[in-house]
Amino acid sequence: MKNFTDNNRAVVRVPGTSANCGPGFDCLGVATTIYNYLDLTLLRSNKFVVDSSGEGADKIPRGKRNLTWQAVHRLLQEVGREDEFKGAIIRTKNNVPLSRGLGSSSTAIVAGLTAANEILGSPLDKNGLLKLATEIEGHPDNVAPAIFGGFTVSIMNQGEVQTFSFMPRIKLKLIVTVPDFELSTRLARKVLPKNVSMKDAIFNISRASMLVAALVKGNEKLLPFAFDDALHQPYRKKLVPGMTEVFDAAKSAGALGAAISGAGSCLIAFTTAQSHLEEKIASAMVAAFKAHDVKSKALILNVDGRGAQILKR
Ligand code: HSE
């Protein structure tokens, strides 16, 4: 990336994330080894430049509606320095597909907050950044793993967010199939019911608890069924043609489980690194999508253990 002489500059890398992981709706998330990059310079003048390359570059707002700027501005407000920095140069290089359920909006928010915080001398710690990121994003399940890395469990309590992050003791491979259509989170949330049955709530609580216990303890025998969900995927099925068949294909090829990645449209399957089944699972998922006339590509990823990183200051 271009070198600026301005020392109000930081370069950061933020991982794409997969939220829900099946049963952990709005609660569980995992950081993955696909990254977006931000080169931020804060300016005292009004000059404002947004320059994006990579995934979805033509769709990223160039003006102050830009999500990274919104996050930078929110942080400047939080620390009382919004009058000092009126402009910015925002250069991004994105690898995370846009509007596909891999946390692209979270990367924009977390990158803006992390870079601006670094430039200002780190007035906020990671929990402070999480609070602002959750406020901007509306829920913590993508921003938490983007900040902390690993697998995260997050709860909201009276507007306050609390996160536990850990590296699973099972070496997971994540197989993400990226279909050639976008899905807006707003639409994917609109199809959900306002209330759910006690039976479905118990179904999810038991599986989400089993999933976290199995990953913390390193017991992969407990994982089959632990990725299943009754609270959101049955309702979102109609938005992702072939969803059930892609899940079945992944499991028949040896996956431990499969789920919608975040609010979709990507579907994600989980296997262990030792199984060496990831290529087979990826091909099976792409073929099952194709049988429903959906073109897709597969990404084979690991769990990112580091979260947002400062690359240059
Ligand atoms: N938990 C959210 C959802 C993730 O499923 O709607 C969206 O980013």
Side-chain angles (χ1 to χ4, degrees), residues 19-20 24-28 101 103 105-106 137 139 141-142 185 188-189 192 232 236 261-264:
N20 302 330
F25 183 72
D26 276 3
C27 163
L28 301 182
S105 63
S106 292
E137 175 88 336
H139 34 88
D141 50 348
N142 282 113
T185 301
R189 290 179 88 84
L192 301 180
H232 64 109
R236 289 174 164 174
S261 183

Side-chain angles (χ1 to χ4, degrees), residues 122-140:
S122 304
L124 301 185
D125 63 10
K126 285 193 177 189
N127 282 311
L129 297 180
L130 176 67
K131 175 180 168 272
L132 293 188
T134 304
E135 176 194 305
I136 299 167
E137 175 88 336
H139 34 88

Side-chain angles (χ1 to χ4, degrees), residues 6-44:
D6 194 332
N7 65 3
N8 289 323
R9 172 186 177 227
V11 180
V12 299
R13 178 187 93 166
V14 182
T17 53
S18 183
N20 302 330
C21 305
F25 183 72
D26 276 3
C27 163
L28 301 182
V30 62
T32 71
T33 49
I34 184 168
Y35 301 98
N36 283 349
Y37 296 82
L38 165 67
D39 183 338
L40 174 72
T41 304
L42 292 184
L43 302 172
R44 291 175 207 281

Side-chain angles (χ1 to χ4, degrees), residues 163-266:
T163 286
F164 165 63
S165 91
F166 65 98
M167 245 344 236
R169 283 180 69 185
I170 300 168
K171 199 161 187 297
L172 290 174
K173 283 279 175 193
L174 315 173
I175 303 104
V176 179
T177 38
V178 187
D180 66 351
F181 64 91
E182 296 182 0
L183 190 51
S184 87
T185 301
R186 184 132 61 96
L187 173 65
R189 290 179 88 84
K190 231 172 139 179
V191 299
L192 301 180
K194 294 246 176 310
N195 299 294
V196 296
S197 69
M198 181 62 95
K199 184 168 157 258
D200 288 347
I202 294 168
F203 185 97
N204 272 55
I205 294 165
S206 55
R207 278 150 188 83
S209 306
M210 187 63 89
L211 177 54
V212 173
L215 294 176
V216 168
K217 196 80 181 151
N219 188 343
E220 74 178 79
K221 289 202 182 73
L222 298 175
L223 283 177
F225 310 112
F227 292 99
D228 292 347
D229 158 78
L231 293 186
H232 64 109
Q233 294 179 173
Y235 307 97
R236 289 174 164 174
K237 192 168 119 173
K238 59 183 176 216
L239 303 175
V240 186
M243 182 196 86
T244 310
E245 292 77 7
V246 175
F247 289 172
D248 289 345
K251 288 185 215 163
S252 300
L256 292 162
I260 301 180
S261 183
S265 54
C266 285

